[in-house]
């Protein structure tokens, strides 16, 4: 039972819940088992309260891991489960399974990388960016959001590498349009060894298209509705060149050219 | 079986997926996901959605086909020493008997669970399980194809006459019956007006179906002599006891595994505690012990 690097089910202590804006918050959790094992791109499957009417767990990307055995989740309130999590008080405990899934791969040698994050899918990309920086890889970051108030991590990315490309749906900052529109520019500026992307499906398909055009390897993080989160129920299937694969085990990160867009 | 708690097909993968969380060899038996003769890609996504006290699923029997199942999953499972029950499905009677024959020659299989109750496939599945005559045909064919293996026939709550189907299955050679499979259901997104499942309809599982399941176990256990494996929304030892009181000899845990990977173990321990606290010889003494007024 329990491979040393495999996932575990554990009670996680909530350290803080901090609002970033309307409906978005960061939950900081203490849990050595998860923090020590987590890799960028992996997620946790969280039991959101004891409401008997809504019993399934909710998946959230690991947003950041810090040296004090803590990790963070970046969450948008969209429904019952996320609303519950937004009300959890420090010191309370949550039942989580994790870290789950296959995260981003950083091939050797990588010197430069383009990181594309659309909307709240910036969550796993912060963990990835910090890992890339720790490995002295130069970042070209493309972030998209609905409007400038939702570019939560602009300053953080700016600190990690001066090349940050911004797109907003309402043109309130940077390019007015999709983050994927800016990917060709980032590729031409950076000549990256690899592209990493997380965001809405259409955006990922567009980024994958760019990557193919420029012949640069690209990894994308997908979402799917999940029940078990551990590979048992096959609810999270996605079509790949090798047949259906489980987003929760073989993913959420896939090589873009393996996905049937 | 060392205890009456098993896993419900399709909710526990091939067992391996839960090896990180529990000691698989504590389980009474592992019932693996549905296997068909040929590989199946399954249904379009989304394949699940949550509903009050339960969920709808329309996986569509995605599986690698019986040959790869034997070469990969069964090979991993067999050495564990836990009885492995393979859930089999097909679109025609011949497909059922072909899978059964292949599995009976494989070794390491403790029994077959014949799924004539899947609501998520176009042919076979539930359409067989709603019709006593078709039930007889499938069960008799599987019985003949795998003479040495214990046969469990899995029933659907959607059959108009569940007791009739149960009697037909028993008469055709079933050694046990399992019930219930999921109940056909549907959910619609009121923002987009679209069904919340990729294949429009699916099967309802979880605590929402428990009272329906308990009644069916009760009805069927009074009509047939073969043992019954009860399932449908079992999440705690108390739920398992309820099914046994209604007439189930064993129970299977499905959706609860998604909620808590340790669910089966908690239930096994809860049953052990019940036996101690109640000072009864064995949990089997409560089978069918409901006191009907
Ligand atoms: C691998 C993975 C990683 C994820 N990481 C994050 C993360 O880091 N931060 C974060 O905020 N969310 C993340 N999500 C999405 C998150 O799981 C859902 O937002 C959450 O399950 C919603 O739960 P709820 O109970 O609040 O909403 P529900 O009450 O279940 O649903 C409310 C509304 O939200 C919609 N909704 C439900 N699930 C999703 C979804 N997956 N995506 C978009 N809309 C959805 C529903 O259609 C419904 O309209 C991730 C999902 C996956 C699969
Ligand atoms: C995701 C999922 C997949 C299932 N797959 C199968 C299957 O392949 N074969 C089968 O006989 N039953 C299948 N079932 C039905 C379960 O085995 C069980 O009969 C049903 O879910 C009721 O039990 P529960 O409420 O404890 O989940 C599936 C159920 C779920 C939720
Ligand atoms: S969520 Fe169950 S297999 Fe991926």
């Amino acid at each position: 039972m329990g491979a040393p690097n495999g996932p575990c089910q554990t009670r996680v202590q909530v350290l803080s819940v901090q609002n970033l804006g309307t409906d978005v918050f960061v939950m900081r959790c203490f849990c050595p088992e998860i923090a020590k094992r987590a890799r960028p791109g992996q997620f946790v499957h969280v039991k959101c309260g004891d409401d008997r009417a809504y019993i399934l767990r909710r998946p959230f990307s690991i947003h950041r891991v810090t040296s004090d055995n803590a990790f963070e989740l970046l969450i948008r309130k969209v429904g019952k489960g996320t609303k519950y999590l937004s009300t959890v008080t420090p010191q309370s405990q949550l039942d989580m399974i994790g870290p789950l899934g296959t995260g981003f791969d950083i091939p050797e040698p990588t010197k430069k990388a383009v990181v594309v994050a659309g909307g709240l899918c910036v969550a796993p990309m912060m963990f990835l960016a910090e890992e890339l920086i720790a490995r002295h890889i130069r970042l070209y970051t493309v972030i998209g959001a609905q409007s400038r108030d939702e570019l939560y991590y602009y300053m953080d990315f700016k600190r990690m590498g001066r090349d940050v490309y911004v797109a907003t749906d309402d043109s309130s900052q940077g390019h007015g349009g999709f983050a994927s529109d800016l990917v060709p520019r980032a590729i031409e500026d950076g000549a990256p060894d690899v592209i990493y992307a997380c965001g809405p499906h259409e955006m990922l398909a567009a980024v994958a298209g760019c990557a193919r055009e420029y012949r640069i390897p690209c990894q994308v993080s997908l979402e799917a509705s999940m029940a078990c989160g551990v590979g048992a129920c096959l609810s999270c299937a996605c079509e790949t060149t090798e047949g259906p694969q489980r987003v929760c085990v073989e993913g959420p990160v896939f090589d873009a050219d393996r996905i049937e867009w | 079986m060392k205890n009456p708690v098993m896993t419900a097909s399709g909710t526990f993968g091939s067992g391996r997926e839960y090896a990180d969380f529990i000691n698989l060899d504590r389980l009474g038996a592992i019932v693996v996901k549905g296997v068909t003769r040929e590989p199946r890609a399954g249904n379009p996504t989304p394949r699940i959605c949550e509903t009050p006290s339960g969920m709808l699923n329309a996986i569509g029997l995605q599986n690698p086909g019986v040959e790869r199942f034997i070469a990969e999953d069964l090979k991993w499972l067999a050495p564990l020493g836990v009885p492995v029950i393979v859930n089999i499905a097909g679109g025609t009677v011949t497909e059922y008997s072909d899978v059964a024959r292949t599995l009976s020659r494989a070794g390491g299989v403790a029994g077959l669970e014949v799924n004539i109750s899947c609501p998520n496939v176009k042919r076979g599945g539930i359409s067989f399980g709603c019709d006593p005559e078709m039930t007889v045909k499938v069960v008799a064919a599987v019985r003949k194809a795998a003479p040495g293996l214990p046969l469990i026939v899995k029933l659907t709550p959607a059959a108009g006459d569940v007791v009739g189907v149960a009697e037909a299955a028993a008469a055709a050679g079933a050694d046990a019956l399992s019930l219930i499979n999921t109940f056909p259901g549907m959910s619609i997104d009121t923002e987009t007006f679209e069904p919340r499942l990729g294949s429009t309809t699916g099967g309802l599982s979880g605590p929402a179906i428990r009272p329906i399941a308990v009644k069916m176990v009760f009805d069927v256990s009074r009509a047939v002599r073969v043992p019954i494996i009860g399932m449908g929304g079992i999440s705690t030892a108390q739920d398992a006891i309820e099914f046994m009181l209604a007439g189930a000899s064993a129970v299977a845990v499905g959706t609860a595994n998604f909620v808590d990977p340790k669910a089966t173990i908690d239930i096994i321990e809860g049953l052990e505690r019940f036996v101690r606290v109640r000072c009864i010889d064995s949990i089997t003494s409560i089978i069918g012990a409901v006191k009907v007024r």
Side-chain angles (χ1 to χ4, degrees):
Chain A
M1 183 170 84
N5 287 315
C8 59
Q9 178 183 12
T10 174
R11 295 199 74 80
V12 167
Q13 195 191 347
V14 176
L15 297 172
S16 63
V17 175
Q18 189 201 345
N19 286 323
L20 282 195
T22 23
D23 293 346
V24 177
F25 59 96
V26 173
M27 174 178 277
R28 198 172 154 69
C29 305
F30 177 79
C31 180
E33 293 101 315
I34 292 178
K36 283 203 170 75
R37 300 174 202 202
R39 306 288 315 132
Q42 289 189 301
F43 66 96
V44 287
H45 211 25
V46 184
K47 185 138 181 11
C48 301
D50 290 320
D51 187 340
R52 296 286 187 90
Y54 294 94
I55 56 177
L56 294 180
R57 288 169 184 265
R58 306 293 195 249
F60 299 98
S61 303
I62 297 170
H63 173 47
R64 211 171 221 165
V65 168
T66 51
S67 52
D68 49 355
N69 286 323
F71 67 90
E72 292 176 357
L73 305 178
L74 172 66
I75 300 176
R76 182 190 300 278
K77 243 191 281 180
V78 295
K80 303 160 288 282
T82 46
K83 190 164 170 203
Y84 168 81
L85 293 178
S86 73
T87 63
V88 165
T89 51
Q91 305 310 321
S92 49
Q93 299 203 326
L94 290 172
D95 177 344
M96 296 195 191
I97 307 175
L100 294 169
T102 306
F104 293 102
D105 178 43
I106 306 174
E108 289 285 349
T110 297
K111 297 235 169 337
K112 293 185 280 184
V114 166
V115 170
V116 189
L120 217 67
C121 293
V122 67
M125 301 322 249
M126 185 53 70
F127 188 5
L128 173 68
E130 286 177 344
E131 176 85 23
L132 293 171
I133 290 295
R135 297 204 195 178
H136 308 291
I137 293 165
R138 179 156 171 190
L139 288 190
Y140 296 80
T141 315
V142 183
I143 48 178
Q146 253 161 17
S147 80
R148 66 177 303 156
D149 321 328
E150 296 194 9
L151 290 167
Y152 303 112
Y153 289 92
Y154 178 70
M155 289 316 292
D156 301 68
F157 282 120
K158 207 73 189 160
R159 223 172 294 123
M160 287 192 273
R162 59 197 147 80
D163 304 282
V164 181
Y165 308 78
V166 174
T168 49
D169 293 349
D170 65 357
S171 309
S172 51
Q173 185 170 338
H175 168 72
F178 302 119
S180 46
D181 302 342
L182 301 174
V183 171
R185 229 172 80 203
I187 294 176
E188 285 178 12
D189 291 352
D193 305 294
V194 55
I195 300 171
Y196 299 105
C198 185
H201 197 82
E202 303 72 43
M203 186 203 98
L204 294 180
V207 174
C210 283
R212 206 175 316 116
E213 218 167 281
Y214 286 88
R215 297 173 190 278
I216 297 166
C218 176
Q219 297 173 29
V220 293
S221 178
L222 303 184
E223 282 196 11
S225 41
M226 292 184 176
C228 72
V230 301
C233 70
L234 306 183
S235 64
C236 62
C238 82
E239 278 312 316
T240 74
T241 49
E242 291 127 77
Q245 302 247 301
R246 298 165 296 184
V247 172
C248 69
V249 174
E250 286 81 25
V253 177
F254 290 93
D255 284 332
D257 54 16
R258 282 174 52 203
I259 303 297
E260 304 275 2
W261 298 99
Chain B
M1 274 190 359
K2 49 182 161 296
N3 63 62
V5 180
M6 30 211 259
T7 61
S9 174
T11 65
F12 209 69
S14 58
R16 201 168 173 160
E17 290 79 4
Y18 282 95
D20 279 321
F21 307 105
I22 63 169
N23 244 328
L24 295 177
D25 59 19
R26 294 191 59 190
L27 298 172
I30 295 178
V31 183
V32 300
K33 63 184 178 218
V35 179
T36 52
R37 195 175 63 188
E38 267 82 39
R40 284 182 61 106
N43 283 333
T45 54
R47 291 177 171 183
I48 59 140
C49 72
E50 196 175 25
T51 56
S53 297
M55 60 180 278
L56 289 167
N57 90 79
I59 307 298
L61 287 178
Q62 179 189 326
N63 78 94
V66 66
E67 299 290 348
R68 252 185 73 198
F69 167 79
I70 291 170
E72 292 168 16
D73 298 333
L74 192 57
K75 187 165 164 230
W76 187 88
L77 270 172
L80 290 182
V82 185
V84 176
I85 295 168
V86 183
N87 183 273
I88 63 170
T92 61
V93 175
T94 322
E95 276 176 53
Y96 279 95
S97 53
D98 287 350
V99 181
R101 192 173 308 107
T102 312
L103 284 165
S104 72
R105 292 177 186 154
V109 177
L112 297 179
E113 182 178 54
V114 188
N115 176 4
I116 50 166
S117 42
C118 182
N120 298 321
V121 289
K122 290 211 176 64
R123 293 182 312 134
I126 201 164
S127 64
F128 289 176
C130 286
D131 176 352
E133 275 173 41
M134 277 314 296
T135 300
V136 168
K137 282 196 187 133
V138 176
V139 176
V142 172
R143 172 82 289 165
K144 208 165 136 226
L149 285 179
L151 273 198
I152 303 162
V153 177
K154 184 157 177 181
L155 306 182
T156 169
D161 175 15
V162 181
V163 170
V165 176
E167 285 167 339
D175 299 299
L177 301 174
S178 56
L179 56 156
I180 58 176
N181 206 319
T182 55
F183 203 94
M186 179 173 179
S187 176
I188 301 169
D189 185 326
T190 52
E191 293 282 324
T192 62
F193 292 18
E194 287 173 355
R196 288 170 68 200
L197 290 175
S199 56
T200 307
T201 63
L204 182 62
S205 65
I209 64 171
R210 195 191 308 135
I212 301 175
V214 171
K215 175 176 186 291
M216 289 192 172
V217 166
F218 176 73
D219 289 346
V220 171
S221 71
R222 308 233 141 181
V224 300
R225 285 177 175 279
V226 297
I228 291 171
I229 302 161
M231 70 193 81
I234 296 177
S235 317
T236 64
Q238 201 182 333
D239 301 340
I241 290 164
E242 189 182 1
F243 274 84
M244 295 185 77
L245 290 172
S249 300
V251 294
V253 179
T255 302
N257 293 304
F258 307 157
V259 181
D260 186 350
K262 296 190 305 322
T264 45
I265 304 299
D266 290 346
I267 292 169
I268 290 166
E269 289 173 354
L271 292 182
E272 287 164 0
R273 214 172 308 123
F274 183 79
V275 168
R276 275 200 310 277
V277 172
R278 287 282 180 142
C279 298
I280 50 181
D281 292 339
S282 151
I283 195 70
T284 54
S285 64
I286 68 164
I287 298 169
V290 57
K291 295 178 181 162
V292 178
R293 280 186 283 269

